[in-house]
């Protein structure tokens, strides 16, 4: 991996979680961190704020301060990143609002990639209305081990072009 890449995982936002919810969240975080950690610096639930507003400030701050060449984000972090129109983004299971699709510069449009699982199919369809680089996996949950090499290939290929 040649580029400086940041990976923002899902923050822990469940209020009064049951033991099962905590376990499910930690398992998902561990799987994502294990697979995507090879891409670059990982920010996980231990570092990420747990409100959307604070998360946006945190992510924007890290991007402005450290200027990564690529930013990868999952779930809520990806939803927040969808609203930050910078080039070289990879969004995994973001919620895509119509506001995220307005006034997207061409360079951002071409260098933003989206990965969606079956439960995010409507977001995938919305995303595809503006962004040409998207993949829908017809499985109930994202398989991070499967998409990590694809993401690494995207980053390396784009770096080779620049």
């Amino acid at each position: 991996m040649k580029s400086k890449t940041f990976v923002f995982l899902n923050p822990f936002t469940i209020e009064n979680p049951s033991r099962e919810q905590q376990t499910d969240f930690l398992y998902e975080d561990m799987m994502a961190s294990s697979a995507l950690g090879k891409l670059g610096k990982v920010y996980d639930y231990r570092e990420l704020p747990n409100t959307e507003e604070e998360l946006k400030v945190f992510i924007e701050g890290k991007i402005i301060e450290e200027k990564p060449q690529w930013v990868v984000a999952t779930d809520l972090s990806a939803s927040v990143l969808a609203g930050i129109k910078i080039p070289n983004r990879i969004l995994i299971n973001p919620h895509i609002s119509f506001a995220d699709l307005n006034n997207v510069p061409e360079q951002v449009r071409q260098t933003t990639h989206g990965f969606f699982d079956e439960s995010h199919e409507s977001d995938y369809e919305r995303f595809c209305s503006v962004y040409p680089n998207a993949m829908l996996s017809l499985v109930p949950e994202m398989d991070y081990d499967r998409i990590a090499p694809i993401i690494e290939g995207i980053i390396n290929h784009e770096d080779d072009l620049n």
Side-chain angles (χ1 to χ4, degrees):
M1 185 93 351
K2 300 174 223 163
S3 286
K4 181 178 182 180
T5 303
F6 285 178
V7 179
F8 295 97
L9 300 182
N10 200 25
F12 190 76
T13 59
I14 305 168
E15 291 186 34
N16 303 315
S18 67
R19 188 178 310 255
E20 184 177 340
Q21 288 173 311
Q22 289 175 340
T23 301
D24 289 348
F25 176 85
L26 291 172
Y27 177 77
E28 179 80 11
D29 184 81
M30 180 185 69
M31 296 304 290
S33 183
S34 173
L36 302 176
K38 301 168 191 140
L39 301 173
K41 167 70 175 128
V42 174
Y43 295 91
D44 66 11
Y45 71 95
R46 292 170 289 199
E47 299 167 277
L48 296 172
N50 60 2
T51 68
E52 193 168 341
E53 298 79 24
E54 291 173 341
L55 185 61
K56 184 173 192 232
V57 169
F58 180 85
I59 291 173
E60 284 179 329
K62 289 294 180 188
I63 291 169
I64 290 167
E65 179 182 315
E66 300 195 39
K67 298 174 182 36
Q69 290 144 314
W70 283 89
V71 181
V72 178
T74 68
D75 304 296
L76 181 57
S77 291
S79 300
V80 166
L81 187 59
I84 304 171
K85 294 181 173 77
I86 59 166
N88 301 338
R89 303 178 298 172
I90 297 176
L91 310 175
I92 303 168
N93 282 338
H95 170 70
I96 300 295
S97 71
F98 289 109
D100 297 331
L101 304 175
N102 293 330
N103 303 316
V104 178
E106 185 60 20
Q107 182 190 15
V108 172
R109 200 176 81 72
Q110 293 297 326
T111 62
T112 296
H113 301 262
F115 291 84
F116 299 83
D117 63 25
E118 182 177 70
S119 62
H120 293 82
E121 189 169 358
S122 62
D123 293 305
Y124 165 78
E125 291 169 359
R126 232 175 274 122
F127 185 88
C128 286
S129 70
V130 171
Y131 298 99
N133 305 307
M135 183 180 104
L136 175 65
S137 181
L138 295 175
V139 294
E141 294 182 8
M142 187 56 63
D143 183 348
Y144 296 105
D145 286 325
R146 188 171 177 196
I147 66 168
I150 298 168
I151 293 170
E152 186 172 8
I154 290 167
I155 292 170
N156 288 337
H157 175 74
E158 295 290 330
D159 285 349
D160 288 344
L161 294 176
N162 294 327

